[in-house]
């Protein structure tokens, strides 16, 4: 029993999908649809939910934040905001360090001011045209890289 038509059996101008076949397919869908949809819908919704959860966990891991904090760092500058928040927490730890010096506290004060300015720049860049926003984000990222390097040096890493 042949499952496929042979090439010799198919006429070159003969369409494979005819109005009669379409009508038959619609009739089958009308009969099977109400029975199949309630069975398949929960599985599909669960699969979409799981895919969304995996995507959120991936984004959170890339940003270095908790999944619950992901909404706080949305938008084009979300990654930079996450980095700024992480640097601010590290600077707070440097200030609270029991063996911290006056230099460390001065550095922490100056760095917090810089971080506030960088956060403001990222927020302002959200409404800029694409080319200007990318340039602003690149400048902020460069400044943040330098600040993080100085911070790591202060922390002894």
């Amino acid at each position: 029993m042949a499952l496929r038509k042979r090439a010799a059996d198919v006429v070159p101008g003969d369409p494979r999908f005819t109005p009669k076949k379409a009508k038959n397919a619609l009739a089958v869908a009308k009969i099977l649809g109400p029975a199949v949809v309630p069975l398949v819908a929960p599985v599909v919704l669960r699969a979409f939910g799981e895919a969304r959860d995996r995507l959120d966990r991936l984004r959170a891991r890339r940003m270095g934040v908790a999944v619950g904090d992901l909404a706080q760092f949305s938008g084009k500058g979300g990654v930079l905001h996450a980095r700024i928040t992480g640097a601010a927490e590290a600077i707070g730890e440097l200030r609270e360090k029991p063996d911290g010096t006056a230099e460390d506290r001065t550095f922490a004060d100056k760095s917090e001011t810089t971080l506030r300015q960088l956060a403001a720049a990222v927020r302002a860049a959200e409404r800029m045209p694409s080319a200007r926003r990318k340039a602003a984000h690149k400048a902020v990222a460069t400044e943040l890289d330098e600040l993080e390097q100085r911070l790591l040096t202060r922390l002894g890493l």
Side-chain angles (χ1 to χ4, degrees):
M1 174 185 238
L3 296 177
R4 292 188 225 172
K5 288 187 175 183
R6 293 184 194 159
D9 294 342
V10 177
V11 179
D14 189 24
R16 289 193 167 201
F17 195 71
T18 62
K20 183 178 179 182
K21 289 180 182 178
K23 187 176 178 182
N24 287 342
L26 284 174
V28 169
K30 284 181 183 178
I31 294 170
L32 292 180
V36 173
V37 169
L39 298 174
V40 175
V43 175
V44 171
L45 288 176
R46 199 173 310 123
F48 280 133
E50 181 65 28
R52 178 61 187 221
D53 185 48
R54 285 184 183 177
L55 180 63
D56 286 345
R57 281 184 289 173
L58 176 67
R59 287 183 58 219
R61 191 174 346 114
R62 284 183 180 168
M63 286 186 176
V65 298
V67 176
D69 297 335
L70 194 59
Q72 183 181 354
F73 305 113
S74 63
K76 301 283 186 186
V79 174
L80 288 173
H81 278 298
R83 285 183 62 195
I84 290 170
T85 301
E89 289 173 4
I91 287 172
E93 291 174 12
L94 177 67
R95 177 179 281 127
E96 303 292 324
K97 201 171 156 182
D99 60 338
T101 64
E103 276 183 27
D104 289 342
R105 289 181 188 84
T106 305
F107 170 77
D109 291 337
K110 289 180 183 178
S111 296
E112 283 181 341
T113 303
T114 303
L115 288 175
R116 279 195 296 274
Q117 292 171 348
L118 292 176
V122 172
R123 281 192 304 274
E126 289 291 327
R127 292 174 290 283
M128 291 181 184
S130 180
R132 289 183 65 200
R133 182 184 63 244
K134 287 178 183 178
H137 284 182
K138 187 174 181 179
V140 168
T142 302
E143 183 70 27
L144 196 54
D145 287 341
E146 293 172 6
L147 186 120
E148 287 171 340
Q149 188 61 41
R150 290 186 304 230
L151 177 62
L152 290 174
T153 302
R154 291 254 178 215
L155 291 172
L157 299 174

